[in-house]
Every structure is written in structure tokens, then in C-alpha cells.
Amino acid sequence: MTPANVPRLARGCRLSEDAAQGWVLLIPEGVLRLSGPGPRILQRCDGSRTFADIVRELGDEFAEADAARVEAETSAFLERLVERRIVVLE
């Protein structure tokens, strides 16, 4: 993941808040339940923000967290979703 990458959800995938399950990611293969900062990360993957923008916004939202840790964990989360073709990078 580079600072200039622009992540967005792949075609057929969308983020939804379900009253019973909380935040879920609807994908062609099924549903993924999201917890922790996952929904906040994916809300920002709209194809207009760079990875650096997303990390900066999360750093502002979670000001008590270490900036390097926010970047590393966000990168790892998104890279797993890229591998599964749920998130694409532009």
C-alpha cells in the first residue's frame, strides 16, 4: 500500500449497517461482519481519498492511537481485502 493508492470497494461490494448484525460488508460470496475500525476505514474507501488521506483522517479520529500503528493496521486490513478482490486500488 502506497500513500498515493486510492482504494475503493470493488463492483458488487457495499458497506451496510444492519440493525441486528451491526456493520457488514456485502460481497458477492456472502456477508462479512465488521468490527473495530473496519467500518470507519471502509467508509473512506470511496475512490476519492488516497491511502494517505484515509490514514490522516483515522489519525485525527483516533488521536490517542500511535500514528505508525494506525498506518500499519490500516494497510494490513486493506491489503487483505485487496487480496480477496473486495477492495481495488486506483
Side-chain angles (χ1 to χ4, degrees):
M1 191 72 49
T2 69
N5 284 135
V6 179
R8 66 170 175 79
L9 289 176
R11 185 178 198 158
C13 300
R14 72 181 171 93
L15 187 61
S16 179
E17 188 172 21
D18 182 82
Q21 297 180 357
W23 283 101
V24 294
L25 183 57
L26 304 173
I27 59 175
E29 299 85 24
V31 176
L32 296 175
R33 289 185 195 166
L34 299 171
S35 61
R40 290 185 173 115
I41 294 169
L42 291 176
Q43 287 170 333
R44 291 170 168 87
C45 292
D46 56 8
S48 69
R49 294 176 175 96
T50 65
F51 175 69
D53 294 334
I54 293 168
V55 169
R56 186 173 35 260
E57 289 177 18
L58 291 169
D60 291 344
E61 186 172 344
F62 299 102
E64 70 284 351
D66 177 63
R69 183 174 177 192
V70 170
E71 181 175 358
E73 290 183 4
T74 302
S75 179
F77 177 76
L78 290 175
E79 286 172 4
R80 285 191 303 273
L81 295 179
V82 167
E83 288 172 6
R84 294 184 65 185
R85 297 184 180 145
I86 295 170
V87 168
V88 294
L89 302 175
E90 298 177 348

